[in-house]
Amino acid sequence: MTAAGYSAELTEPLAAPLTAFIVHLASEKRHSPRTCDSYQRDLQRFGQWLLAGEQASWARVSGHDLRRYVASLSRDGISGRSIARHLSAIRRFYQFLLREKLVQDNPALDIRAPKSPRRLPRAADVDQLNQLLNAPADDPLEVRDLSMFELMYSCGLRLSELAGLDLDAVDARGGEVRVLGKGGKERVLPVGRKALEALGAWLAVRPAVAQESEPALFVSQRGGRLSNRSIQSRLGRWGVVKGAEQRLHPHMLRHSFASHLLESSGDLRAVQELLGHADIATTQVYTHLDFQHLARVYDQSHPRSRRRGGRNPDDNQ
């Protein structure tokens, strides 16, 4: 559709500058017809909203007007990402209007779109995940992989946290792992029985793979620290080889950890503490929760904890 076709519904003071802008994008900026089409639709919608409010001049639009427009888009169910696209189109349009001396300022400069709620991955079914993690490891690299995946699910680790683990971070006797999270914040997490067993199997074969001076807990076939991308790739491979019904990726294990633990315990604060959330407004309310409380919730609730009946005080002896 032509620029005139989009702008015909607008009054002349709105339509003429919009038409000139689209021509500018197509002829001077050499944008594709599809890109021009997108700008037309977004700016046409804004223009129609202005007319509905009896506003017939681009030059009279204020930042307050734009905030009201953003609110109206949000009420209409438009996502934060789409609203950001609308604002980008408006911002660029006003840059053009400034160049043409049709307006005195750009009211969209300081307007931001609302954040869209982050879409969490679907948590894996407990039985399916147990089946995958109970699958046998057929070679030393699979022994390593199973150990990594058990630990990720057991502790709800981020990918970067897992890759950054060193040998001295694991206290197998105490059933704990020391993790360096976002912002350099360290936390100590309980490790479930199955993960400890898998770690023991990996540590038994690790010397044959790792370079002598390598501190990393998980190493590649060449003996150095395993990269984030390699861990992602190995988890995807594990899912394919072991018959997963959905694509496996690191954050799915972390999300499954949180979902399964929360379903069992109902203790949202403990789960968020175990996850090591970086948001200070969230994490501050959990600082009074000590490790023993977290460990007790963990042992009573996690599907692969050492014992469902609670932690034995002698376990840490």
Side-chain angles (χ1 to χ4, degrees), residues 220-292:
S220 69
Q221 196 169 10
R222 296 181 178 181
R225 187 180 298 275
L226 202 61
S227 68
N228 289 9
R229 180 167 294 184
S230 294
I231 295 172
Q232 289 176 309
S233 175
R234 293 297 292 190
L235 180 55
R237 175 189 179 278
W238 184 275
V240 171
V241 172
K242 307 303 179 183
E245 296 178 5
Q246 62 190 103
R247 185 178 68 86
L248 298 184
H249 53 90
H251 197 68
M252 189 208 72
L253 291 181
R254 176 172 161 87
H255 183 54
S256 297
F257 160 85
S259 298
H260 298 164
L261 198 56
L262 185 58
E263 288 170 8
S264 299
S265 71
D267 194 330
L268 179 62
R269 294 186 303 163
V271 171
Q272 294 198 3
E273 180 83 354
L274 288 163
L275 288 172
H277 281 174
D279 189 285
I280 191 169
T282 302
T283 57
Q284 278 180 338
V285 301
Y286 310 129
T287 55
H288 69 280
L289 295 175
D290 61 18
F291 176 81
Q292 290 302 319

